[in-house]
mmCIF file of all heavy atoms in Angstrom:
data_model
loop_
_atom_site.group_PDB
_atom_site.id
_atom_site.type_symbol
_atom_site.label_atom_id
_atom_site.label_comp_id
_atom_site.label_asym_id
_atom_site.label_seq_id
_atom_site.Cartn_x
_atom_site.Cartn_y
_atom_site.Cartn_z
ATOM 1 N N GLY A 1 -36.474 6.166 -7.713
ATOM 2 C CA GLY A 1 -36.288 6.298 -9.126
ATOM 3 C C GLY A 1 -35.970 5.016 -9.849
ATOM 4 O O GLY A 1 -36.511 4.729 -10.863
ATOM 5 N N GLY A 2 -35.090 4.281 -9.243
ATOM 6 C CA GLY A 2 -34.851 2.946 -9.795
ATOM 7 C C GLY A 2 -36.044 1.959 -9.706
ATOM 8 O O GLY A 2 -36.213 1.194 -10.833
ATOM 9 N N SER A 3 -36.695 1.922 -8.673
ATOM 10 C CA SER A 3 -37.943 1.137 -8.614
ATOM 11 C C SER A 3 -39.045 1.555 -9.595
ATOM 12 O O SER A 3 -39.768 0.764 -10.174
ATOM 13 C CB SER A 3 -38.562 1.297 -7.131
ATOM 14 O OG SER A 3 -39.622 0.446 -6.962
ATOM 15 N N ALA A 4 -39.069 2.871 -9.827
ATOM 16 C CA ALA A 4 -40.194 3.435 -10.734
ATOM 17 C C ALA A 4 -39.742 3.052 -12.138
ATOM 18 O O ALA A 4 -40.581 2.746 -12.896
ATOM 19 C CB ALA A 4 -40.278 4.910 -10.659
ATOM 20 N N LYS A 5 -38.500 3.065 -12.453
ATOM 21 C CA LYS A 5 -38.025 2.721 -13.844
ATOM 22 C C LYS A 5 -38.380 1.318 -14.171
ATOM 23 O O LYS A 5 -38.604 0.957 -15.316
ATOM 24 C CB LYS A 5 -36.502 2.944 -13.961
ATOM 25 C CG LYS A 5 -36.239 4.475 -14.013
ATOM 26 C CD LYS A 5 -34.665 4.591 -14.114
ATOM 27 C CE LYS A 5 -34.314 6.086 -14.116
ATOM 28 N NZ LYS A 5 -32.919 6.444 -14.106
ATOM 29 N N THR A 6 -38.204 0.433 -13.155
ATOM 30 C CA THR A 6 -38.599 -0.952 -13.370
ATOM 31 C C THR A 6 -39.995 -1.263 -13.478
ATOM 32 O O THR A 6 -40.469 -2.009 -14.331
ATOM 33 C CB THR A 6 -38.066 -1.847 -12.218
ATOM 34 O OG1 THR A 6 -36.541 -1.611 -11.983
ATOM 35 C CG2 THR A 6 -38.140 -3.282 -12.322
ATOM 36 N N ALA A 7 -40.799 -0.439 -12.646
ATOM 37 C CA ALA A 7 -42.214 -0.717 -12.558
ATOM 38 C C ALA A 7 -43.043 -0.201 -13.747
ATOM 39 O O ALA A 7 -44.189 -0.606 -14.032
ATOM 40 C CB ALA A 7 -42.744 -0.164 -11.226
ATOM 41 N N ARG A 8 -42.509 0.918 -14.373
ATOM 42 C CA ARG A 8 -43.321 1.691 -15.273
ATOM 43 C C ARG A 8 -43.704 0.831 -16.567
ATOM 44 O O ARG A 8 -43.275 -0.068 -16.905
ATOM 45 C CB ARG A 8 -42.489 2.953 -15.773
ATOM 46 C CG ARG A 8 -41.329 2.609 -16.559
ATOM 47 C CD ARG A 8 -40.382 3.712 -16.964
ATOM 48 N NE ARG A 8 -39.293 3.371 -17.544
ATOM 49 C CZ ARG A 8 -38.634 3.832 -18.620
ATOM 50 N NH1 ARG A 8 -39.377 4.917 -19.241
ATOM 51 N NH2 ARG A 8 -37.610 3.573 -19.214
ATOM 52 N N ASN A 9 -44.721 1.444 -17.296
ATOM 53 C CA ASN A 9 -44.982 1.104 -18.667
ATOM 54 C C ASN A 9 -44.014 1.936 -19.510
ATOM 55 O O ASN A 9 -44.174 3.194 -19.737
ATOM 56 C CB ASN A 9 -46.396 1.476 -18.888
ATOM 57 C CG ASN A 9 -46.837 1.118 -20.421
ATOM 58 O OD1 ASN A 9 -45.992 0.968 -21.204
ATOM 59 N ND2 ASN A 9 -48.062 1.092 -20.643
ATOM 60 N N ARG A 10 -43.056 1.305 -20.084
ATOM 61 C CA ARG A 10 -41.816 1.929 -20.872
ATOM 62 C C ARG A 10 -42.490 2.697 -22.031
ATOM 63 O O ARG A 10 -41.739 3.483 -22.596
ATOM 64 C CB ARG A 10 -40.761 0.844 -21.238
ATOM 65 C CG ARG A 10 -40.094 0.423 -20.090
ATOM 66 C CD ARG A 10 -39.079 -0.663 -20.391
ATOM 67 N NE ARG A 10 -38.236 -0.977 -19.304
ATOM 68 C CZ ARG A 10 -37.118 -0.517 -19.004
ATOM 69 N NH1 ARG A 10 -36.559 0.450 -19.746
ATOM 70 N NH2 ARG A 10 -36.433 -0.910 -17.930
ATOM 71 N N ARG A 11 -43.560 2.231 -22.583
ATOM 72 C CA ARG A 11 -44.109 2.781 -23.794
ATOM 73 C C ARG A 11 -44.529 4.174 -23.625
ATOM 74 O O ARG A 11 -44.288 5.201 -24.363
ATOM 75 C CB ARG A 11 -45.140 1.953 -24.465
ATOM 76 C CG ARG A 11 -45.370 2.306 -25.889
ATOM 77 C CD ARG A 11 -46.527 1.440 -26.491
ATOM 78 N NE ARG A 11 -47.868 1.892 -25.961
ATOM 79 C CZ ARG A 11 -48.509 2.966 -26.587
ATOM 80 N NH1 ARG A 11 -48.008 3.689 -27.496
ATOM 81 N NH2 ARG A 11 -49.694 3.265 -26.159
ATOM 82 N N THR A 12 -45.269 4.504 -22.415
ATOM 83 C CA THR A 12 -45.971 5.849 -22.258
ATOM 84 C C THR A 12 -45.463 6.595 -21.060
ATOM 85 O O THR A 12 -45.752 7.670 -20.827
ATOM 86 C CB THR A 12 -47.402 5.623 -22.121
ATOM 87 O OG1 THR A 12 -47.757 4.722 -21.092
ATOM 88 C CG2 THR A 12 -47.899 4.948 -23.364
ATOM 89 N N GLN A 13 -44.609 5.910 -20.149
ATOM 90 C CA GLN A 13 -44.336 6.523 -18.865
ATOM 91 C C GLN A 13 -42.788 6.763 -18.770
ATOM 92 O O GLN A 13 -41.997 5.765 -18.897
ATOM 93 C CB GLN A 13 -44.732 5.744 -17.675
ATOM 94 C CG GLN A 13 -46.310 5.600 -17.604
ATOM 95 C CD GLN A 13 -46.732 4.725 -16.442
ATOM 96 O OE1 GLN A 13 -46.048 3.751 -16.169
ATOM 97 N NE2 GLN A 13 -47.834 5.049 -15.853
ATOM 98 N N ALA A 14 -42.406 7.990 -18.663
ATOM 99 C CA ALA A 14 -41.063 8.380 -18.430
ATOM 100 C C ALA A 14 -40.845 8.735 -16.955
ATOM 101 O O ALA A 14 -41.650 9.157 -16.122
ATOM 102 C CB ALA A 14 -40.690 9.645 -19.202
ATOM 103 N N ILE A 15 -39.586 8.559 -16.509
ATOM 104 C CA ILE A 15 -39.163 8.732 -15.090
ATOM 105 C C ILE A 15 -38.040 9.707 -14.994
ATOM 106 O O ILE A 15 -37.033 9.618 -15.722
ATOM 107 C CB ILE A 15 -38.706 7.419 -14.457
ATOM 108 C CG1 ILE A 15 -39.760 6.323 -14.533
ATOM 109 C CG2 ILE A 15 -38.388 7.611 -12.910
ATOM 110 C CD1 ILE A 15 -41.147 6.723 -13.970
ATOM 111 N N LEU A 16 -38.222 10.842 -14.305
ATOM 112 C CA LEU A 16 -37.251 11.898 -14.107
ATOM 113 C C LEU A 16 -36.879 11.957 -12.563
ATOM 114 O O LEU A 16 -37.579 12.591 -11.858
ATOM 115 C CB LEU A 16 -37.834 13.197 -14.607
ATOM 116 C CG LEU A 16 -36.820 14.330 -14.497
ATOM 117 C CD1 LEU A 16 -35.498 14.182 -15.184
ATOM 118 C CD2 LEU A 16 -37.398 15.688 -14.973
ATOM 119 N N PRO A 17 -35.869 11.301 -12.163
ATOM 120 C CA PRO A 17 -35.273 11.317 -10.822
ATOM 121 C C PRO A 17 -34.638 12.709 -10.527
ATOM 122 O O PRO A 17 -34.000 13.206 -11.347
ATOM 123 C CB PRO A 17 -34.231 10.328 -10.735
ATOM 124 C CG PRO A 17 -34.460 9.408 -11.995
ATOM 125 C CD PRO A 17 -34.856 10.387 -13.017
ATOM 126 N N ILE A 18 -34.969 13.271 -9.330
ATOM 127 C CA ILE A 18 -34.301 14.432 -8.904
ATOM 128 C C ILE A 18 -33.724 14.117 -7.488
ATOM 129 O O ILE A 18 -34.124 13.309 -6.823
ATOM 130 C CB ILE A 18 -35.333 15.737 -8.758
ATOM 131 C CG1 ILE A 18 -36.321 15.385 -7.785
ATOM 132 C CG2 ILE A 18 -35.800 16.045 -10.159
ATOM 133 C CD1 ILE A 18 -37.290 16.619 -7.478
ATOM 134 N N ARG A 19 -32.648 14.959 -7.090
ATOM 135 C CA ARG A 19 -31.986 14.749 -5.800
ATOM 136 C C ARG A 19 -32.430 15.713 -4.873
ATOM 137 O O ARG A 19 -32.170 16.922 -5.036
ATOM 138 C CB ARG A 19 -30.399 14.794 -6.051
ATOM 139 C CG ARG A 19 -29.931 13.566 -6.908
ATOM 140 C CD ARG A 19 -28.412 13.573 -7.057
ATOM 141 N NE ARG A 19 -27.895 12.517 -7.744
ATOM 142 C CZ ARG A 19 -26.578 12.378 -8.017
ATOM 143 N NH1 ARG A 19 -25.754 13.150 -7.580
ATOM 144 N NH2 ARG A 19 -26.292 11.315 -8.708
ATOM 145 N N GLY A 20 -33.123 15.285 -3.887
ATOM 146 C CA GLY A 20 -33.454 16.062 -2.642
ATOM 147 C C GLY A 20 -34.360 17.292 -3.175
ATOM 148 O O GLY A 20 -35.216 17.088 -3.976
ATOM 149 N N LYS A 21 -34.306 18.261 -2.381
ATOM 150 C CA LYS A 21 -35.280 19.395 -2.533
ATOM 151 C C LYS A 21 -34.608 20.422 -3.450
ATOM 152 O O LYS A 21 -33.663 20.935 -3.245
ATOM 153 C CB LYS A 21 -35.532 20.024 -0.979
ATOM 154 C CG LYS A 21 -36.092 19.111 -0.154
ATOM 155 C CD LYS A 21 -36.267 19.664 1.261
ATOM 156 C CE LYS A 21 -36.945 18.638 2.084
ATOM 157 N NZ LYS A 21 -36.983 18.937 3.596
ATOM 158 N N ILE A 22 -35.489 20.808 -4.428
ATOM 159 C CA ILE A 22 -34.987 21.692 -5.466
ATOM 160 C C ILE A 22 -34.987 23.208 -4.840
ATOM 161 O O ILE A 22 -35.391 23.343 -3.659
ATOM 162 C CB ILE A 22 -35.831 21.690 -6.637
ATOM 163 C CG1 ILE A 22 -37.171 22.334 -6.406
ATOM 164 C CG2 ILE A 22 -35.899 20.382 -7.347
ATOM 165 C CD1 ILE A 22 -37.941 22.802 -7.708
ATOM 166 N N LEU A 23 -34.297 24.018 -5.575
ATOM 167 C CA LEU A 23 -34.210 25.431 -5.101
ATOM 168 C C LEU A 23 -35.618 26.184 -4.791
ATOM 169 O O LEU A 23 -36.523 25.813 -5.496
ATOM 170 C CB LEU A 23 -33.509 26.299 -6.187
ATOM 171 C CG LEU A 23 -33.366 27.745 -5.946
ATOM 172 C CD1 LEU A 23 -32.305 27.996 -4.969
ATOM 173 C CD2 LEU A 23 -32.883 28.336 -7.219
ATOM 174 N N ASN A 24 -35.693 26.692 -3.679
ATOM 175 C CA ASN A 24 -36.899 27.614 -3.448
ATOM 176 C C ASN A 24 -36.896 28.796 -4.379
ATOM 177 O O ASN A 24 -36.090 29.657 -4.112
ATOM 178 C CB ASN A 24 -37.016 28.060 -2.001
ATOM 179 C CG ASN A 24 -38.218 28.904 -1.611
ATOM 180 O OD1 ASN A 24 -38.890 29.253 -2.454
ATOM 181 N ND2 ASN A 24 -38.407 29.037 -0.383
ATOM 182 N N VAL A 25 -37.669 28.759 -5.463
ATOM 183 C CA VAL A 25 -37.685 29.862 -6.453
ATOM 184 C C VAL A 25 -38.306 31.033 -6.065
ATOM 185 O O VAL A 25 -38.269 32.151 -6.752
ATOM 186 C CB VAL A 25 -38.120 29.348 -7.845
ATOM 187 C CG1 VAL A 25 -37.393 28.162 -8.302
ATOM 188 C CG2 VAL A 25 -39.543 29.088 -7.724
ATOM 189 N N GLU A 26 -39.077 31.109 -5.012
ATOM 190 C CA GLU A 26 -39.832 32.251 -4.701
ATOM 191 C C GLU A 26 -39.120 33.511 -4.499
ATOM 192 O O GLU A 26 -39.478 34.559 -4.862
ATOM 193 C CB GLU A 26 -40.766 31.866 -3.348
ATOM 194 C CG GLU A 26 -41.578 32.984 -2.760
ATOM 195 C CD GLU A 26 -42.719 33.346 -3.786
ATOM 196 O OE1 GLU A 26 -42.988 32.548 -4.783
ATOM 197 O OE2 GLU A 26 -43.417 34.421 -3.610
ATOM 198 N N LYS A 27 -37.897 33.347 -3.855
ATOM 199 C CA LYS A 27 -37.029 34.537 -3.577
ATOM 200 C C LYS A 27 -35.809 34.529 -4.424
ATOM 201 O O LYS A 27 -34.864 35.387 -4.172
ATOM 202 C CB LYS A 27 -36.735 34.577 -2.112
ATOM 203 C CG LYS A 27 -37.985 34.658 -1.237
ATOM 204 C CD LYS A 27 -38.659 35.969 -1.356
ATOM 205 C CE LYS A 27 -39.816 36.079 -0.423
ATOM 206 N NZ LYS A 27 -40.605 37.278 -0.742
ATOM 207 N N ALA A 28 -35.602 33.492 -5.232
ATOM 208 C CA ALA A 28 -34.382 33.435 -6.023
ATOM 209 C C ALA A 28 -34.414 34.113 -7.345
ATOM 210 O O ALA A 28 -35.507 34.373 -7.969
ATOM 211 C CB ALA A 28 -34.031 31.862 -6.347
ATOM 212 N N SER A 29 -33.240 34.667 -7.767
ATOM 213 C CA SER A 29 -33.229 35.387 -9.068
ATOM 214 C C SER A 29 -33.029 34.347 -10.199
ATOM 215 O O SER A 29 -32.753 33.254 -9.949
ATOM 216 C CB SER A 29 -31.851 36.328 -9.004
ATOM 217 O OG SER A 29 -30.740 35.520 -8.931
ATOM 218 N N ILE A 30 -33.196 34.810 -11.409
ATOM 219 C CA ILE A 30 -33.329 33.901 -12.523
ATOM 220 C C ILE A 30 -32.076 33.202 -12.741
ATOM 221 O O ILE A 30 -32.064 32.047 -13.051
ATOM 222 C CB ILE A 30 -33.613 34.718 -13.813
ATOM 223 C CG1 ILE A 30 -34.970 35.410 -13.609
ATOM 224 C CG2 ILE A 30 -33.764 33.757 -15.030
ATOM 225 C CD1 ILE A 30 -36.245 34.508 -13.512
ATOM 226 N N ASP A 31 -30.877 33.870 -12.596
ATOM 227 C CA ASP A 31 -29.578 33.225 -12.874
ATOM 228 C C ASP A 31 -29.453 32.128 -11.817
ATOM 229 O O ASP A 31 -28.820 31.024 -12.183
ATOM 230 C CB ASP A 31 -28.412 34.284 -12.773
ATOM 231 C CG ASP A 31 -28.413 35.035 -11.489
ATOM 232 O OD1 ASP A 31 -29.428 35.096 -10.763
ATOM 233 O OD2 ASP A 31 -27.334 35.569 -11.110
ATOM 234 N N LYS A 32 -29.851 32.252 -10.617
ATOM 235 C CA LYS A 32 -29.763 31.180 -9.571
ATOM 236 C C LYS A 32 -30.747 30.063 -9.873
ATOM 237 O O LYS A 32 -30.351 28.904 -9.786
ATOM 238 C CB LYS A 32 -30.056 31.776 -8.217
ATOM 239 C CG LYS A 32 -28.970 32.626 -7.720
ATOM 240 C CD LYS A 32 -29.133 32.995 -6.178
ATOM 241 C CE LYS A 32 -28.037 33.936 -5.660
ATOM 242 N NZ LYS A 32 -28.349 34.355 -4.210
ATOM 243 N N VAL A 33 -31.744 30.420 -10.400
ATOM 244 C CA VAL A 33 -32.736 29.303 -10.764
ATOM 245 C C VAL A 33 -32.202 28.480 -11.868
ATOM 246 O O VAL A 33 -32.136 27.243 -11.930
ATOM 247 C CB VAL A 33 -34.139 29.915 -11.212
ATOM 248 C CG1 VAL A 33 -35.049 28.780 -11.927
ATOM 249 C CG2 VAL A 33 -34.799 30.607 -10.145
ATOM 250 N N LEU A 34 -31.573 29.171 -12.929
ATOM 251 C CA LEU A 34 -31.005 28.398 -14.003
ATOM 252 C C LEU A 34 -29.682 27.686 -13.718
ATOM 253 O O LEU A 34 -29.219 26.864 -14.474
ATOM 254 C CB LEU A 34 -30.805 29.436 -15.174
ATOM 255 C CG LEU A 34 -32.105 29.857 -15.889
ATOM 256 C CD1 LEU A 34 -31.798 31.036 -16.750
ATOM 257 C CD2 LEU A 34 -32.722 28.749 -16.671
ATOM 258 N N ALA A 35 -28.994 28.043 -12.633
ATOM 259 C CA ALA A 35 -27.844 27.385 -12.198
ATOM 260 C C ALA A 35 -28.188 26.096 -11.405
ATOM 261 O O ALA A 35 -27.228 25.206 -11.158
ATOM 262 C CB ALA A 35 -27.022 28.308 -11.300
ATOM 263 N N ASN A 36 -29.494 25.859 -11.106
ATOM 264 C CA ASN A 36 -29.827 24.638 -10.408
ATOM 265 C C ASN A 36 -29.929 23.452 -11.538
ATOM 266 O O ASN A 36 -30.783 23.595 -12.300
ATOM 267 C CB ASN A 36 -31.234 24.884 -9.680
ATOM 268 C CG ASN A 36 -31.613 23.696 -8.845
ATOM 269 O OD1 ASN A 36 -32.218 22.838 -9.385
ATOM 270 N ND2 ASN A 36 -31.285 23.741 -7.638
#
């Protein structure tokens, strides 16, 4: 994320870092999804 923020074109490119693997939503209920 830090490297991407430095390398990007700040005018048109946004960077959204996430940590690790997000919740597997296939079997999760909505409240668990929204708690992530």
